[in-house]
Structures are given as structure tokens and as C-alpha cells.
Amino acid sequence: MNVRIAPLFAGLLAAALVPSAAQAASADTQPFQVTITVTESCNISTGSITDINFGTHARASSATPIDEKGSLQLKCTPGTPYSIAMDHGKHATVETASHDNRRMANSITSPTAFVPYGLYRDPGRTLLWGQKPENQLSGVGTAAAQTISIFGRTPGVDVAAGTYNDTVVATVNY
């Protein structure tokens, strides 16, 4: 009888010593962080600016204003407050409080011939657009591209014949 129990006992002992899935060693755990830093962002889309072209007009002594508009596209992160400033251009007179001192120059035929013009934030052309805070356009970003209209007016064209132009720089502050 002792002979038959010994092999059975040896089998049970071997089974007890082999680890099973239920008896596996516990795993080591370590927490880790997941982070992101989000910054506010605004940009004027490259190539999305529509120039203001007052067209071709016959010289006239009347002071009939000529109105045109252009636009730019602005894209800001959602909820980002922004303001858009316009500089005075290359041919402006000394800065005035009204910022209505821009001029287009006829640099080919007469570097001293100018056509005055103004840039405005509204279609009624009552809110001048400039660099001072009170002359900037303010808004809040939406994450979508926003089309911003730029309204221009020149008081008339009683100047020497030729092509007149100016370059204005738009700046978004956020």
C-alpha cells in the first residue's frame, strides 16, 4: 500500500509546485502624466488679403468720394480676444489723432503727387482704422477663418494723371 501512495503523493506535490495562471506574481504598476500646453494663436492667412482697388477714373475737380473695399482672413483659437491695427502706409503725412492721413503716391511720373484716402472699419466709413487702440477692430476668435472687411474711401481724383499706390501693413494683436 505504501508503494501506491508514493507516486500519487509525488504527483500532487509536483502540481502544487508548478505556478498556475491564478497564482502568477503580481505586476508592478507606475502612474504617469499626460499633458498638453495650449497657447492662444491668431494669424492673418497668407494670400487671403483682397487689395483695395479704386479703379480707373477720369480726372475731375468734383469732390465725389470713391468707395471700395478689400478684406483679410483671420484665424484665431476659440475665445482668443484680438485687435487688428493698420499702419499709415508708406506715404502718410505726420500721424494725426484721426489716422485719416494716408496717401497713394504716383512715384513714376511725380514723386510728389498724392491721392489721399482713408481706411475704415465700417461700411458707412465713419470709424477710421489705424494703430491707436481706439482705431483698431476688436473681436474674439472662433477657430474658423473670419473674413474681415476693410472699407476704403478717396475724396476725389483732381490730381495729375498716372497710377497711384500705397502699401499698408495689417497687424493682429492677441
Side-chain angles (χ1 to χ4, degrees):
M1 192 158 166
N2 285 343
V3 174
R4 289 188 174 181
I5 292 177
L8 181 63
F9 180 70
L12 289 174
L13 181 61
L17 293 177
V18 175
S20 68
Q23 295 176 339
S26 63
D28 186 22
T29 60
Q30 291 296 322
F32 64 95
Q33 299 294 315
V34 177
T35 62
I36 185 172
T37 301
V38 178
T39 62
E40 291 182 330
S41 166
C42 281
N43 63 53
I44 298 172
S45 301
T46 304
S48 69
I49 295 178
T50 304
D51 295 334
I52 297 173
N53 184 343
F54 289 106
T56 302
H57 300 275
R59 183 177 182 176
S61 60
S62 69
T64 303
I66 301 167
D67 293 342
E68 286 297 331
K69 85 173 191 176
S71 65
L72 59 85
Q73 283 201 346
L74 180 71
K75 191 171 185 179
C76 296
T77 52
T80 300
Y82 65 82
S83 63
I84 302 170
M86 300 280 176
D87 77 355
H88 299 292
K90 291 183 176 183
H91 309 291
T93 57
V94 177
E95 180 180 344
T96 63
S98 70
H99 292 267
D100 192 17
N101 60 350
R102 293 179 174 93
R103 303 184 303 175
M104 293 175 275
N106 183 343
S107 57
I108 296 172
T109 59
S110 176
T112 59
F114 299 99
V115 173
Y117 72 98
L119 296 180
Y120 303 86
R121 298 169 281 154
D122 66 315
R125 290 162 176 84
T126 59
L127 302 172
L128 292 162
W129 206 330
Q131 293 177 310
K132 292 184 178 183
E134 65 270 18
N135 291 26
Q136 296 180 16
L137 179 77
S138 297
V140 177
T142 64
Q146 295 173 283
T147 299
I148 309 294
S149 293
I150 306 164
F151 301 94
R153 173 174 282 168
T154 183
V157 288
D158 188 14
V159 294
T163 300
Y164 293 77
N165 59 52
D166 194 15
T167 301
V168 176
V169 176
T171 303
V172 61
N173 299 298
Y174 58 94

